[in-house]
Amino acid sequence: MTASYPNLRLRRTRATGWSRALHRENILTHADLIWPLFVTDGSGVEQPVASLPGVSRWSPDLIGVRAKEASALGIPCIALFPNTQPDRRSDDGAEALNPDNLMCRAIKAVRDACGADIGILTDVALDPYTAHGQDGLLDHAGYVVNDDTVAVLVDQAINQAEAGADIIAPSDMMDGRVRAIRMALEMGGHHNVQIMSYAAKYASAFYGPFRDAVGSGGLLKGDKKSYQMDPANGEEALREVELDIAEGADSVMVKPGLPYLDIVRRVKERFEVPVFAYQVSGEYAMIEAAAAAGAGDRDALVLETLLAFKRAGCSGVLTYHAAHAARLLRG
Ligand code: PBG
């Protein structure tokens, strides 16, 4: 039941700033943000990523500095992605299991810099470590095999947990990996290490700059369509989410972000679990390109797109704009 014009004028509550503030349904804060950071080898190294203006790869010592910055801004969690040197990549991605790999050194650097003040999310998938750039192991026909890959992902997750990761985020889209990782974490005594599964991850054209950033773009032949989801599908995303929750995921992620807000909303309504979205590299690049072209105000685009995730039902958002947005939000 509702009144009608002129008794009802929806512009009435919009007329002043105080009233808009009072009627605001959703709010974005620094505590909604997860900041993805790229790691490279060395010390004191910053390497700008050409396709992501404003984003750099940092050596582990400087990742520690970035994490402190995040913590000071009230960003609760960072996500780490390694740019593994080409000579440490192999067909089986064995470097993922090295306890002294770039990822593990970065985790320790963040822990040394910030203690327990910040959450460390780590990506589980083999693409930063494989010579072919796929997320898993290939058979002779070039198909990414599921079960053998899951066995390696379990070891990768344990390696990260032992280095100090707080949230394991499997981004590989293999079947059954959440249960396998959860069981291994429990057996290893990592009861409080969370799993945020990339539950509905699409085979998207928006990942290009990320692949440059981790150095797998030039290596990857073909696509990831035999494991990442078809952008045409929505019901299948709900099945993926249902499975990952049943297997022990603490939270689920939808990725990419803005083009898939319908999926976020459906997941939230159906399952009532914590849902996150990844505003991916191509989305970031689009905003930066629009701002550079004078097609929109950068700060306004950043805040509006991030708020849209909250409205859709997200508990939080992974975004390369996290530090900038946190600064804007804190005034
Ligand atoms: C690795 C992974 C990807 C992203 C996050 N983890 C790339 C891919 O699946 O090819 C993309 C993130 C981004 O584009 O910002 N499995």
Side-chain angles (χ1 to χ4, degrees):
M1 160 130 45
T2 181
S4 59
Y5 172 84
N7 291 352
L8 177 66
R9 289 179 187 266
L10 286 174
R11 290 185 58 195
R12 224 177 262 138
T13 52
R14 275 180 227 148
T16 56
W18 65 261
S19 180
R20 289 190 292 275
L22 196 60
H23 290 87
R24 195 154 292 140
E25 296 175 35
N26 294 285
I27 179 161
L28 174 74
T29 79
H30 52 84
D32 298 315
L33 306 171
I34 299 176
W35 192 14
L37 293 167
F38 297 109
V39 196
T40 192
D41 249 301
S43 169
V45 178
E46 172 180 3
Q47 292 172 347
V49 180
S51 52
L52 286 174
V55 173
S56 294
R57 307 181 193 99
W58 307 91
S59 52
D61 55 319
L62 295 183
I63 284 288
V65 177
R66 296 279 76 75
K68 273 194 149 154
E69 181 185 341
S71 173
L73 288 165
I75 294 172
C77 188
I78 58 161
L80 297 173
F81 297 94
N83 179 289
T84 307
Q85 292 164 251
D87 65 345
R88 294 201 159 263
R89 289 172 173 264
S90 57
D91 282 346
D92 64 2
E95 178 66 6
L97 311 185
N98 172 3
D100 198 36
N101 68 19
L102 196 49
M103 177 66 107
C104 293
R105 281 183 279 133
I107 294 169
K108 288 171 188 156
V110 172
R111 199 55 85 205
D112 286 348
C114 300
D117 288 348
I118 199 157
I120 305 173
L121 180 151
T122 56
D123 205 76
V124 165
L126 296 183
D127 53 320
Y129 311 92
T130 52
H132 45 70
Q134 294 286 0
D135 291 20
L137 306 176
L138 306 184
D139 68 11
H140 54 277
Y143 180 74
V144 176
V145 294
N146 194 86
D147 300 6
D148 290 345
T149 296
V150 169
V152 182
L153 298 175
V154 166
D155 292 344
Q156 179 184 20
I158 294 299
N159 191 34
Q160 294 173 352
E162 277 168 5
D166 298 298
I167 306 180
I168 300 294
S171 72
D172 52 281
M173 291 298 281
M174 298 300 116
D175 288 324
R177 88 279 206 220
V178 172
R179 171 174 284 118
I181 291 171
R182 185 70 264 163
M183 279 169 56
L185 288 172
E186 291 300 317
M187 303 238 295
H190 303 292
H191 309 296
N192 282 340
V193 172
Q194 303 175 27
I195 297 177
M196 180 189 292
S197 74
Y198 288 72
K201 175 169 177 180
Y202 287 86
S204 170
F206 285 95
Y207 305 150
F210 171 96
R211 292 178 188 167
D212 288 345
V214 298
S216 65
L219 304 172
L220 184 67
K221 288 175 210 75
D223 55 50
K224 300 189 177 183
K225 290 180 185 171
S226 82
Y227 46 107
Q228 299 180 350
M229 281 184 48
D230 184 338
N233 296 354
E235 282 170 11
E236 189 185 351
L238 300 181
R239 298 181 80 190
E240 284 283 2
V241 167
E242 186 170 24
L243 257 181
D244 284 3
I245 296 167
E247 292 184 22
D250 299 284
S251 56
V252 293
M253 194 201 297
V254 173
K255 174 183 176 198
L258 227 42
Y260 296 86
L261 288 185
D262 58 321
I263 306 299
V264 169
R265 169 51 60 189
R266 288 173 75 179
V267 168
K268 189 70 195 173
E269 282 181 352
R270 174 82 67 94
F271 300 108
E272 299 175 318
V273 294
V275 184
F276 292 81
Y278 199 142
Q279 186 178 48
V280 298
S281 56
E283 298 178 68
Y284 173 95
M286 277 197 325
I287 291 174
E288 290 299 311
D297 177 72
R298 179 171 182 252
D299 295 352
L301 291 170
V302 168
L303 293 180
E304 181 178 332
T305 55
L306 293 176
L307 180 62
F309 290 97
K310 293 297 300 289
R311 195 189 60 241
C314 282
S315 297
V317 193
L318 290 91
T319 173
Y320 301 96
H321 280 122
H324 182 63
R327 267 186 210 100
L328 294 173
L329 291 165
R330 298 173 72 99

